[in-house]
């Protein structure tokens, strides 16, 4: 385990070497500057990088969103990541890391960031779609692991681009266990001062775990063509959203581990099934808060991974069948089923949400249900509502002072 002082010293040595060598390499000048402290493969990578970019690049270029989504959906690593997602997320949270999985060309397809690294990753496009090949952003562990076909570490000023001199990255290639071909890399990144000898071994171990899951997911993908399956396609998964009271989400019956912001995004998309473009979704989610669209794009990329790629863009739209408690409440109210609406009502819509659109819509739902109960105070419906809002004196009075109905729709007559 390196001490902080040792890490400071190592970083200073690399920074001095970078200052001596990289400008000369970029200017194609001969230099006799000593290369002490810089590994041969790093200097070779600097020389290759200088043929394509300048070291002042501030972020990785982004690939087309739809192309990236398609690449992830069809990647053999997609299913493997879903099976191990909780372990990868735990590793990121516990180690204050960002975890990334790429295609064989070092384009990031999936990421998950711990609290320390998430914003840093967004600032340099270390997000799905980010191109981290050597020609795009210079020396880095993702490209080096693919190029050398072995685990690689790139620490601080070993990176060609100065925008990631504050990082340390460990990457290991993931191979198809049946054919041996490279499928991509798994990368772990954090700040330079959190460098630890176990980082590289951890990346290698996680890459091996991903590789082990590839055959299982490949067989699952091929199952519809299996003669024993009768040629039947699997049933499409259902996304179930609980937005009233305590929020939650399930996909195909399995609970989804989502952040509060991701549930808010799904709520907005579920309430707008025709889709929302980036600007509209940003306004409804953040209002006037100073949040960049890049932050929202990163949220959408992570959310798309959690939905198995079933999140469409241009406009953003959920590509799954959706069942949502709040829309069910409104459907029942429109049909005059006040009792059914009250039974389905679980409380305020996403309590404490900072989304102006969701706060407004939640108020609309509550008022609509309350007005329906005042007009038709069925005892069971009123009791259910008052369990959640026990201090509504008007509704208490209405329930006592009016003859209740059965809470069901009434026939109409001409």
């Amino acid at each position: 385990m390196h001490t902080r002082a040792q890490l400071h010293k190592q970083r200073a040595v690399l920074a001095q070497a970078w200052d001596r060598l990289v400008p000369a390499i970029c200017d194609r000048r001969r230099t006799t500057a000593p290369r002490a402290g810089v590994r041969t493969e790093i200097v070779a990578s600097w020389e290759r990088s200088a043929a394509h970019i300048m070291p002042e690049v501030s972020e990785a270029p982004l690939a087309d969103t739809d192309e990236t989504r398609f690449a992830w959906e069809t990647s053999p690593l997609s299913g493997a990541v879903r099976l191990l997602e909780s372990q990868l997320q735990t590793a990121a949270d516990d180690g204050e890391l960002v975890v990334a999985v790429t295609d064989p060309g070092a384009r990031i397809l999936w990421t998950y960031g711990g609290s320390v690294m998430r914003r840093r990753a967004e600032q340099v496009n270390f997000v799905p779609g980010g191109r981290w090949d050597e020609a795009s952003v210079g020396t880095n562990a993702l490209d080096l692991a693919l190029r050398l076909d072995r685990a690689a570490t790139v620490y601080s000023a070993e990176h060609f681009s100065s925008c990631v001199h504050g990082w340390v990255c460990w990457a290991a290639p993931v191979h198809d266990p049946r054919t041996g071909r490279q499928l991509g890399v798994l990368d772990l990144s954090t700040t330079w001062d959190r460098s630890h000898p176990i980082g590289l071994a951890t990346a290698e171990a996680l890459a091996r775990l991903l590789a082990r899951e590839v055959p299982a997911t490949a067989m699952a993908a091929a199952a519809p063509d299996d003669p024993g399956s009768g040629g039947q396609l699997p049933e499409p998964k259902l996304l179930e959203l609980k937005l009233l009271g305590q929020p939650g989400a399930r996909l195909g019956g399995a609970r989804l581990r989502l952040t509060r912001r991701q549930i808010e995004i799904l709520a907005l998309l579920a309430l707008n099934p025709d889709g929302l473009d980036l600007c509209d979704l940003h306004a409804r989610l953040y209002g006037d808060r100073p949040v960049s669209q890049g932050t929202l794009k990163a949220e959408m990329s992570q959310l798309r991974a959690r939905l198995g790629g079933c999140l469409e863009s241009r406009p953003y739209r959920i590509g799954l069948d959706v069942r949502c408690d709040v829309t069910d409440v409104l459907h029942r109210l429109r049909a005059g089923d006040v009792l059914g609406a009250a039974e389905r009502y679980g409380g305020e819509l996403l309590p404490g949400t900072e989304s102006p659109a969701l706060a407004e819509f939640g108020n609309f739902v509550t008022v609509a249900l309350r007005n329906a109960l005042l007009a038709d105070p069925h005892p069971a419906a009123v009791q259910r509502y008052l369990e959640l809002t026990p201090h509504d004196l008007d509704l208490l009075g209405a329930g006592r002072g009016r003859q209740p109905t059965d809470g069901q729709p009434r026939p109409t007559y001409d």
Side-chain angles (χ1 to χ4, degrees):
M1 174 69 179
H2 295 298
T3 66
R4 190 174 179 85
Q6 289 171 324
L7 291 174
H8 266 291
K9 182 177 179 180
Q10 182 183 1
R11 187 172 190 242
V13 168
L14 289 170
Q16 290 170 5
W18 190 93
D19 288 339
R20 289 194 308 268
L21 296 172
V22 169
I25 291 172
C26 291
D27 294 341
R28 299 183 180 180
R29 288 185 279 110
R30 283 182 171 273
T31 177
T32 58
R35 298 186 177 186
V38 185
R39 292 174 286 154
T40 300
E41 63 262 33
I42 295 297
V43 175
S45 178
W46 285 353
E47 291 172 344
R48 291 191 301 268
S49 301
H52 299 281
I53 62 168
M54 296 301 290
E56 293 80 16
V57 63
S58 61
E59 60 186 20
L62 287 171
D64 179 79
T65 300
D66 290 335
E67 289 180 3
T68 301
R69 174 166 58 88
F70 180 76
W72 178 234
E73 291 171 359
T74 56
S75 170
L77 294 177
S78 177
V81 167
R82 283 198 293 273
L83 289 173
L84 297 174
E85 190 167 16
S86 62
Q87 293 172 253
L88 296 175
Q89 291 175 347
T90 298
D93 290 333
D94 292 348
E96 298 180 331
L97 305 161
V98 59
V99 184
V101 174
T102 78
D103 66 8
R107 172 180 53 176
I108 295 178
L109 300 179
W110 177 90
T111 63
Y112 178 84
S115 58
V116 171
M117 288 299 297
R118 187 179 300 120
R119 185 169 295 279
R120 288 182 172 89
E122 292 168 1
Q123 290 172 347
V124 295
N125 284 340
F126 199 83
V127 296
R131 292 192 174 277
W132 284 80
D133 55 284
E134 212 171 58
S136 296
V137 77
T139 307
N140 66 87
L142 294 82
D143 183 279
L144 203 58
L146 288 167
R147 190 177 296 273
L148 301 176
D149 200 26
R150 60 176 170 80
T153 301
V154 175
Y155 177 75
S156 186
E158 288 182 327
H159 291 92
F160 182 78
S161 299
S162 56
C163 67
V164 279
H165 279 188
W167 291 40
V168 58
C169 304
W170 305 281
V174 183
H175 297 95
D176 186 321
R178 297 161 299 176
T179 65
R181 71 185 178 97
Q182 287 184 346
L183 300 176
V185 296
L186 179 135
D187 176 90
L188 305 177
S189 297
T190 188
T191 54
W192 66 270
D193 54 328
R194 289 183 173 83
S195 182
H196 194 286
I198 203 173
L200 190 62
T202 302
E204 290 180 291
L206 290 174
R208 286 194 297 269
L209 284 176
L210 279 181
R212 287 176 194 165
E213 298 296 347
V214 168
T217 56
M219 289 176 63
D225 296 326
D226 190 309
S229 70
Q232 295 180 350
L233 293 174
E235 290 291 325
K237 288 186 177 180
L238 174 68
L239 177 64
E240 299 173 272
L241 297 178
K242 184 181 183 302
L243 306 176
L244 297 168
Q246 184 65 35
R250 289 184 171 273
L251 180 59
R255 187 175 70 87
L256 285 174
R257 181 182 176 184
L258 300 175
T259 65
R260 174 76 176 205
R261 186 74 66 237
Q262 289 165 347
I263 291 180
E264 290 178 332
I265 292 170
L266 286 179
L268 288 167
L269 296 178
L271 297 174
N272 296 274
D274 291 335
L276 296 170
D277 63 29
L278 179 66
C279 292
D280 199 5
L281 179 58
H282 186 279
R284 296 180 188 222
L285 183 64
Y286 297 111
D288 295 331
R289 283 177 288 157
V291 180
S292 72
Q293 289 191 352
T295 297
L296 178 55
K297 287 180 180 179
E299 290 279 10
M300 301 306 288
S301 296
Q302 292 193 13
L303 187 54
R304 180 177 290 111
R306 280 157 181 70
L307 296 182
C310 296
L311 183 62
E312 302 173 9
S313 58
R314 300 181 184 176
Y316 287 114
R317 188 165 40 207
I318 299 172
L320 295 161
D321 291 332
V322 180
R323 180 184 298 158
C324 180
D325 55 356
V326 65
T327 55
D328 189 20
V329 168
L330 292 176
H331 287 324
R332 291 172 185 267
L333 286 176
R334 293 189 187 104
D337 181 9
V338 181
L339 177 57
E343 289 175 343
R344 196 79 171 93
Y345 184 74
E348 184 182 349
L349 177 71
L350 293 176
T353 180
E354 295 181 329
S355 161
L358 290 175
E360 182 180 356
F361 192 81
N363 183 63
F364 165 76
V365 173
T366 300
V367 170
L369 177 60
R370 185 175 181 276
N371 287 344
L373 289 170
L374 287 170
D376 186 9
H378 183 276
V382 171
Q383 180 180 354
R384 168 62 179 159
Y385 180 80
L386 290 175
E387 288 173 359
L388 301 168
T389 56
H391 304 298
D392 193 327
L393 300 180
D394 291 340
L395 193 56
L396 275 170
R400 294 194 187 106
R402 298 183 60 176
Q403 182 66 31
T405 70
D406 60 6
Q408 296 300 318
R410 289 285 176 265
T412 58
Y413 302 94
D414 294 331

